Amino acid sequence: MPVVDSLAAEYSERVDFVAPAWHSTFDLTQARAHELFQSGRIMWGLDEEEEIFRLYGVPYQPVTVLIAADGTVVEAWDGLRAEEEIRASLDDLIALG
């Protein structure tokens, strides 16, 4: 998560970063978000009804979904990626306009 938090700070003017949690409580989610997201550039919340996870077909975490401004899913992957790979995907997302 430190890599994503760092990229969120760098790309915050061009990309919105959202981190929904599930299977938790709001207080635990808040504590973990404050621990992991030091930049303050990642929006987080608790998806108690798991709506976001169902909408994008996410059965477990970690999963990343890149969504264009028009709502189109551009790319999705499960697990972790190297910073360079994430950066390349973000640059491709931004290039879509």
Side-chain angles (χ1 to χ4, degrees), residues 60-64 77-81:
Y60 50 81
Q61 290 179 300
V63 172
T64 301
W77 65 86
D78 52 338
L80 304 175
R81 276 195 173 176

Side-chain angles (χ1 to χ4, degrees), residues 16-80:
D16 291 328
F17 288 76
V18 179
W22 62 357
H23 300 222
S24 188
T25 66
F26 181 82
D27 290 338
L28 290 174
T29 300
Q30 181 179 42
R32 193 70 171 141
H34 287 299
E35 177 184 322
L36 293 173
F37 309 141
Q38 297 289 312
S39 71
R41 301 295 185 173
I42 297 177
M43 295 176 278
W44 61 270
L46 178 61
D47 184 10
E48 293 177 291
E49 303 299 321
E50 300 179 16
E51 294 174 30
I52 294 171
F53 295 91
R54 278 194 303 279
L55 179 64
Y56 293 104
V58 175
Y60 50 81
Q61 290 179 300
V63 172
T64 301
V65 181
L66 298 183
I67 305 166
D70 67 0
T72 303
V73 173
V74 174
E75 185 178 0
W77 65 86
D78 52 338
L80 304 175

